Amino acid sequence: MPCGQPDSGAAPARYVLGVDVGSTVVKCHVYDRAAAVRGSSCRKVESLYPRPGWVELDPEVLWSQFIGVIKEAVQAAGLHMRQIAGLGISTQRGTFITWHKRTGKPFHNFISWQDLRSAELVNSWNKSLLLKVIHVIFTVLHFLTGNDRYLAPSFLTFSTHQTSMKLSWVFKNVHEAEEAAKKNNCCFGTVDTWLLYRLTKGSVYATDYSNASSTGIFEPFMKCWNPTLCNLLSIPMSVYPPVKDTSFNFGSTDSEIFGVPIPIMAVVADQQSAMFGECCFHPGDVKLTMGTGGFWNVNTGEHLFASRRSLYPLIGWKIGKEIVYLTEGSIWDVGTAMKWAQDIELFTNVDETAEMAQSIADSQGVCFIPGFQVSGYDPYLCASFTGLKPSTNRNHLVRAILESVAFRNKLLYDIIVKKVHIPLRSIRADGGVSNNSFVMQMTSDLINKKIEKPGNADMSSLGAAFLAGLASGFWTDKEQLKKLRRIEVVFEPQKDSEEYKPAMDAWLQAMKHSPHW
């Protein structure tokens, strides 16, 4: 029987779906009670580049891909839709769309978190006298009160990665959105909000705490959309959705979509979802995701640490009365650089790269300067190699790219140790690049810590499924989830980090000079 068709003889609901709408692919996995994958489907996300620096997604294409992977995964598992107990949705963060409240018609394509259209606006704000005045005011407030909520605004710097600046750009440049907002007819939504809206045919308009806090417009201390920032950037407060728990019954999909209604039991931002999938439930647990970008997340429990330059606070998840905070640091050009190297045929299969890097003693002085995913604070920086010689070959270039990931992991880890005053417990890695043994081993050596890698690197899908399973009663509690974890390999330090010092010093010098090319 075709997937999605009603079947009166179908077995009871014994499976949950975890869908991850990432930057490069949309994936759906069907999980059983042992958290084993029973069926999967994956489709590539097609980004649009209408102008230099602009990155968009077609909402209708994304919708088609989302529905397609769910149907295909259930079919691959040999199941019927009425056997699904719940759906959990993990989504890329910061990518958003606005649409008309009455008609549901979008005013523009999804604007990706990678998009740079707000670069001029960002530069203008960062050089403004008003921002300098804000820094002084909040520095004084922090000094007088000691309250950490005043610390982040005291050195607030805008970047192109922030949703706030791109949303401000929309209301300055998309006339229809501006006019609709004046009449309270404009809806703002990240990918999760828009999917909820479409899945329920407009009856559910909401987001969760993890996605809201990832926009940079949501005030994590007060747990509300930030009116001060919105007034500053002329963004109407009426456009934002209500914020709900992460593991929560959001309603069911319209029965016309899959043939039967499926309960939507969780929506969650992808990095927070991966954290939950890795069972990083305790303060001090660390998750390292290496996908398109690289993200270090530290569970800080009920304590919210204010931004410290390279680190920023997020809400990990909210389940009932429990709210868990994270501190996050990020690096760019991880998977992006690997994909570029493959596109220009430095290697055929990504699985070859660890062996290529290990086949030579060092990169022969070649350094890779990341810059494909442009720095939000320096949108004109570009990627480059330094130290090229007549003897340089593919292996040296590939090793230089992989080393740059490990070196940046080391830098960010050192900042976390210095700034986050919580003893770090376990470090767990996921994401496509975590399959690269060279990067994993070098990172372990550099930070002198063991790193666990799970059997399944798709932690964002699993985290969404875990959260949906808890809300639906499919799993009872987090203790049960911890017993379902499967560790494939543990990387333990094998070399003294000092052995890497000459190569890392050369790379740091190259990084120092790259902005001045």
Side-chain angles (χ1 to χ4, degrees), residues 136-442:
V136 171
I137 291 170
F138 281 97
T139 299
V140 171
L141 283 171
H142 181 253
F143 176 76
L144 294 175
T145 66
N147 190 329
D148 269 1
R149 67 173 292 212
Y150 299 127
L151 185 59
S154 70
F155 50 78
L156 172 67
T157 305
F158 290 109
S159 90
T160 53
H161 293 308
Q162 292 165 341
T163 306
S164 56
M165 297 309 290
K166 284 176 279 207
L167 186 55
S168 178
W169 182 95
V170 164
F171 289 119
K172 285 178 169 59
N173 293 275
V174 181
H175 179 69
E176 296 89 341
E178 182 190 19
E179 288 300 307
K182 287 177 182 175
K183 299 172 184 174
N184 287 345
N185 276 329
C186 181
C187 294
F188 159 87
T190 42
V191 176
D192 60 298
T193 302
W194 186 79
L195 287 174
L196 273 175
Y197 190 83
R198 288 293 298 265
L199 285 166
T200 59
K201 294 208 170 170
S203 66
V204 177
Y205 178 52
T207 187
D208 91 296
Y209 282 87
S210 69
N211 277 293
S213 76
S214 301
T215 62
I217 312 172
F218 192 79
E219 223 291 333
F221 283 92
M222 304 301 290
K223 294 187 278 295
C224 65
W225 298 107
N226 190 328
T228 307
L229 181 64
C230 292
N231 286 335
L232 203 61
L233 300 178
S234 303
I235 301 171
M237 288 292 290
S238 62
V239 303
Y240 297 114
V243 184
K244 307 290 186 184
D245 281 10
T246 308
S247 181
F248 178 77
N249 187 345
F250 286 89
S252 293
T253 63
D254 188 277
S255 57
E256 287 183 12
I257 298 172
F258 298 115
V260 294
I262 297 176
I264 307 165
M265 305 306 285
V267 298
V268 58
D270 57 4
Q271 297 309 317
Q272 289 94 317
S273 188
M275 190 90 174
F276 203 89
E278 291 272 29
C279 296
C280 292
F281 300 143
H282 304 286
D285 282 345
V286 180
K287 184 271 304 173
L288 165 59
T289 295
M290 291 184 287
T292 306
F295 297 89
W296 285 79
N297 295 91
V298 183
N299 183 325
T300 59
E302 59 187 24
H303 301 289
L304 180 59
F305 286 80
S307 296
R308 299 288 203 281
R309 301 293 177 182
S310 303
L311 305 176
Y312 40 91
L314 291 171
I315 295 173
W317 51 83
K318 184 176 181 296
I319 304 173
K321 291 181 180 178
E322 179 200 43
I323 187 159
V324 171
Y325 295 103
L326 311 179
T327 290
E328 180 175 279
S330 57
I331 59 177
W332 310 113
D333 283 353
V334 179
T336 318
M338 298 294 287
K339 184 180 182 303
W340 169 80
Q342 187 172 18
D343 288 345
I344 66 164
E345 299 180 354
L346 285 183
F347 56 87
T348 308
N349 190 314
V350 73
D351 296 337
E352 305 166 23
T353 56
E355 194 176 323
M356 290 172 73
Q358 288 157 353
S359 71
I360 50 178
D362 53 50
S363 68
Q364 213 178 64
V366 176
C367 297
F368 174 69
I369 312 302
F372 292 116
Q373 282 174 268
V374 182
S375 161
Y377 302 101
D378 184 1
Y380 304 107
L381 183 70
C382 62
S384 60
F385 284 100
T386 64
L388 299 177
K389 306 168 187 67
S391 57
T392 300
N393 60 36
R394 295 180 184 193
N395 293 346
H396 297 114
L397 297 176
V398 167
R399 181 168 176 129
I401 292 172
L402 298 183
E403 284 182 343
S404 79
V405 176
F407 291 151
R408 285 176 289 150
N409 280 337
K410 162 69 172 167
L411 292 177
L412 200 46
Y413 176 81
D414 286 349
I415 293 170
I416 289 168
V417 169
K418 186 178 179 182
K419 299 290 186 183
V420 180
H421 305 298
I422 290 179
L424 302 183
R425 292 163 44 108
S426 60
I427 301 176
R428 297 165 183 172
D430 67 276
V433 181
S434 72
N435 292 319
N436 190 291
S437 60
F438 179 84
V439 171
M440 292 292 289
Q441 186 59 58
M442 190 172 176

Side-chain angles (χ1 to χ4, degrees), residues 19-27 42-49 55-58 62 65 90-95 110-115 161 191 269-271 289-295 332 335-336 339 373 460:
V19 186
D20 177 30
V21 184
S23 302
T24 55
V25 293
V26 182
K27 296 178 184 176
C42 177
R43 292 193 185 185
K44 187 179 179 185
V45 172
E46 298 292 343
S47 295
L48 307 173
Y49 305 95
V55 187
E56 298 181 350
L57 303 173
D58 184 316
L62 190 66
Q65 290 169 327
S90 159
T91 55
Q92 57 180 285
R93 306 175 304 177
T95 296
F110 274 107
I111 298 176
S112 168
W113 62 273
Q114 299 165 298
D115 188 280
H161 293 308
V191 176
D270 57 4
Q271 297 309 317
T289 295
M290 291 184 287
T292 306
F295 297 89
W332 310 113
T336 318
K339 184 180 182 303
Q373 282 174 268
S460 293

